[in-house]
Amino acid sequence: MDAGLTPERTEGMTKRMAGRISRRKFGQLLGAAAGAAALPGMPKATIAQAEPEITNAPRRFPEGFLWGSATASYQVEGAVHEDGRGPSIWDTFSHTPGKTHDGDTGDVADDHYHRYKEDIGLMSDLGLTTYRFSIAWSRIFPQGVGARNPKGFDFYDRMLDTLLEAKITPYCTLYHWDLPQALEDKGGWQSRDTAKAFADYAGVVAEHLSDRVKYFMTVNELRSYVNAGYESGIHAPGLKLDRKGVAQVAHYAVLGHGLAVEAIRAHAKPGTKVGFADNPQAATPVIETPEHIAAAERAMREENAMYGNVIFEGRYTDAYLKKLGPDAPHFTPEEMKAIGSPLDFLGLNVYTGDFVRADESSPVGYAMVKRPASSPHMYSDWLYVAPESLYWAPKITANIWKLKEIYITENGCSSADVLTPDGHVYDSDRIMYLRNYMTQLHRAVSEGVPVKGYFLWSLLDNFEWADGYLKRFGITYVDFKTQKRTPKLSSSYYKEVIRRNGLV
Ligand code: BGP
């Protein structure tokens, strides 16, 4: 006997059954009524027969809205020993036993270095109008600084030429976490010299590529590589610094961004646009009322005081410095000026949201809502489902930081994808996730929030950092043994979104 089957539970089940039966019956009655209303001999009208153009006309995105996908060098390229590439911290970290799932490494990854043409073919099939990729710093400067590797640019030149032939606009990230190991050996982001080295590298790349690339992002997700890399140690370089150490690393990371902005402006062709891809704590009002919305705006500044906020306001908030006290970072007025360099756009990586409520008793005027254990998440346990975040993150950031141009530089999810015997991946949960998030994005754009494009993470299943090849985020399934690519059902979904330039 089921020990959990108490009298109360049995009674509840009976009630629910009764409810279900009556609802089903109600449905049958409705169906009969609809059938009766149809003209004899005429097929019954179904939703599937409705004209998509008509039903979705009011749910279109503005003309020229960019539809893209995003990848990152270490996650897709492979070819880690080819053409003079130097080692990065992710080579070292992934080859250290126990650091990644099953000891997976990016040695081969998606072999995109050799298969980029096939991958650009996939983008063309989807109808992508833009593509976000990142440069492996240690392909250009194998030691991080000093001698340039002449072959370093060849791959990116080839890839960009193919991309432009396919009429896909490139968006380039200069740092997606693969710091040259030689720089980590000299202190990595704990050293101010790394910020300077990053700026020098950024200037060189911008000078070389800005005839073909008009949009540069300095860094990807400061919070991730600072906190996961130097605080919890779950990402490369795997350090666990104290609070003071982490605050200083965060400062040198935003300084690196700021100096890189100056270097790009100094070396790139006129008209080049500069921004960065941020993953703010996406403060989302728990209920859409004025007091909770105001609380979420306050939270967006304070929770991101050391990243997005210091970049857009050029100063650390008083609350942030007060909270850190003697652990606050050392900084100079010149550094703060560089950090606050004006930007052309903000990239937002939005996967999940953090609910905020108004709290008059708190000195900052808000409280973060602790997630109940039942909160739904996708296959990655950190990826809580919060579609509203794709409305509120761009809306609030545009408002508080006075932004004119925003891109969703990453959004997507992991699913427990299975390749079925008929050779398909029916990732209906990913489609559900995307549909809900895009509906909220559409809501923002319809209200005039200046989001100009969307990049889905990711084009391909790839090396997902500490999760190795376990967590699949692609809309294309990759068999990592054969490198065979199979577009998933979500790929058909996204293709239709792009075709309509609207919600599906
Ligand atoms: C973002 C990163 C991506 C990608 C994605 C999935 O934070 O910018 O590179 O990895 O998250 O996250 P994860 O692989 O850590 O689960």
Side-chain angles (χ1 to χ4, degrees):
M1 196 192 144
D2 180 351
L5 215 53
T6 59
E8 296 77 28
R9 217 177 131 204
T10 315
E11 192 195 343
M13 281 167 69
T14 316
K15 275 192 188 148
R16 279 197 297 279
M17 288 286 270
R20 229 176 283 151
I21 289 163
S22 62
R23 268 199 301 278
R24 196 183 305 150
K25 238 190 176 154
F26 184 63
Q28 279 167 359
L29 286 172
L30 265 188
L39 289 174
M42 292 283 284
K44 274 184 248 166
T46 65
I47 290 169
Q49 285 167 319
E51 263 297 307
E53 274 71 24
I54 295 168
T55 51
N56 288 305
R59 306 201 303 164
R60 292 252 162 80
F61 284 82
E63 209 177 309
F65 190 85
L66 292 179
W67 294 105
S69 69
T71 66
S73 45
Y74 190 71
Q75 297 184 270
V76 298
E77 285 178 5
V80 292
H81 300 300
E82 256 170 87
D83 297 331
R85 175 188 179 276
S88 81
I89 54 174
W90 269 96
D91 295 288
T92 311
F93 187 77
S94 65
H95 279 272
T96 307
K99 298 295 184 193
T100 63
H101 170 77
D102 262 359
D104 290 342
T105 73
D107 287 2
V108 179
D110 288 322
D111 196 28
H112 175 73
Y113 194 79
H114 301 112
R115 295 168 198 261
Y116 67 91
K117 282 194 178 151
E118 181 185 350
D119 294 338
I120 293 172
L122 289 168
M123 297 179 209
S124 292
D125 287 347
L126 277 164
L128 295 192
T129 46
T130 184
Y131 170 56
R132 174 176 174 235
F133 70 103
S134 83
I135 305 261
W137 183 347
S138 66
R139 286 196 194 279
I140 310 297
F141 289 100
Q143 298 301 308
V145 288
R148 267 185 234 185
N149 172 26
K151 289 190 173 172
F153 277 119
D154 292 355
F155 165 67
Y156 299 105
D157 286 339
R158 289 195 296 274
M159 195 276 287
L160 280 171
D161 291 343
T162 313
L163 203 64
L164 292 171
E165 268 167 42
K167 303 210 174 345
I168 298 173
T169 306
Y171 277 59
C172 174
T173 313
L174 291 159
Y175 184 70
H176 202 125
W177 311 354
D178 41 0
L179 184 73
Q181 180 61 44
L183 293 186
E184 182 56 36
D185 295 343
K186 292 190 258 174
W189 289 106
Q190 292 183 78
S191 162
R192 195 185 188 287
D193 292 347
T194 295
K196 174 75 176 66
F198 177 58
D200 293 344
Y201 147 76
V204 167
V205 174
E207 184 160 18
H208 186 91
L209 295 185
S210 58
D211 56 339
R212 284 155 293 163
V213 177
K214 289 281 162 248
Y215 291 82
F216 285 95
M217 280 147 285
T218 54
V219 296
N220 178 70
E221 297 192 358
L222 290 143
R223 168 172 273 112
S224 297
Y225 64 89
V226 171
N227 299 97
Y230 292 85
E231 186 177 29
S232 66
I234 56 169
H235 280 186
L239 302 181
K240 290 183 183 170
L241 305 182
D242 60 15
R243 193 166 81 140
K244 191 176 176 58
V246 176
Q248 196 62 46
V249 167
H251 177 70
Y252 289 146
V254 288
L255 178 63
H257 152 82
L259 295 176
V261 174
E262 293 179 344
I264 296 167
R265 299 241 190 261
H267 294 281
K269 300 235 169 334
T272 303
K273 294 199 174 193
V274 191
F276 73 114
D278 195 14
N279 61 326
Q281 293 290 83
T284 304
V286 68
I287 306 172
E288 296 191 2
T289 58
E291 71 270 29
H292 294 304
I293 294 170
E297 289 194 342
R298 284 196 285 274
M300 188 68 95
R301 287 186 68 246
E302 290 302 343
E303 298 296 311
N304 300 298
M306 66 306 272
Y307 300 122
N309 202 67
V310 70
I311 286 173
F312 284 108
E313 296 190 359
R315 60 184 292 274
Y316 291 115
T317 65
D318 296 340
Y320 175 68
L321 294 177
K322 195 170 165 214
K323 191 172 78 186
L324 284 180
D327 293 337
H330 296 292
F331 56 87
T332 65
E334 293 73 41
E335 289 175 353
M336 299 315 287
K337 191 160 174 276
I339 291 168
S341 298
L343 297 177
D344 300 300
F345 67 92
L346 170 64
L348 287 172
N349 294 359
V350 181
Y351 289 88
T352 188
D354 300 281
F355 288 111
V356 178
R357 63 180 173 82
D359 183 356
E360 294 306 325
S361 69
S362 145
V364 281
Y366 67 87
M368 305 306 291
V369 179
K370 198 173 174 304
R371 276 195 188 90
S374 54
S375 301
H377 63 80
M378 301 304 290
Y379 196 36
S380 304
D381 51 12
W382 60 269
L383 214 170
Y384 288 96
V385 179
E388 313 86 326
S389 57
L390 211 50
Y391 170 75
W392 286 106
K395 190 177 168 85
I396 293 180
T397 53
N399 196 26
I400 61 174
W401 295 329
K402 311 277 172 279
L403 307 177
K404 300 261 175 314
E405 192 170 342
I406 297 176
Y407 295 89
I408 303 304
T409 35
E410 285 181 31
N411 171 246
C413 68
S414 49
S415 299
D417 295 324
V418 176
L419 191 62
T420 56
D422 64 355
H424 292 289
V425 177
Y426 299 104
D427 52 342
S428 54
D429 58 340
R430 182 175 284 110
I431 294 173
M432 173 206 70
Y433 174 98
L434 292 173
R435 183 188 294 120
N436 280 291
Y437 277 69
M438 282 186 188
T439 301
Q440 294 289 331
L441 175 63
H442 183 265
R443 182 183 166 208
V445 171
S446 308
E447 287 180 16
V449 178
V451 181
K452 307 295 181 192
Y454 170 92
F455 296 80
L456 200 155
W457 185 273
S458 181
L459 178 70
L460 304 166
D461 293 335
N462 61 48
F463 175 79
E464 287 291 349
W465 310 114
D467 286 332
Y469 298 101
L470 176 68
K471 298 287 155 84
R472 293 174 177 270
F473 274 76
I475 53 170
T476 309
Y477 185 89
V478 177
D479 179 330
F480 292 107
K481 289 204 182 73
T482 62
Q483 290 296 337
K484 186 174 184 298
R485 276 89 162 122
T486 304
K488 302 176 192 175
L489 196 58
S490 56
S491 168
S492 307
Y493 167 76
Y494 192 35
K495 187 171 176 165
E496 186 61 15
V497 169
I498 297 171
R499 191 187 73 77
R500 292 187 198 182
N501 191 33
L503 296 177
V504 180

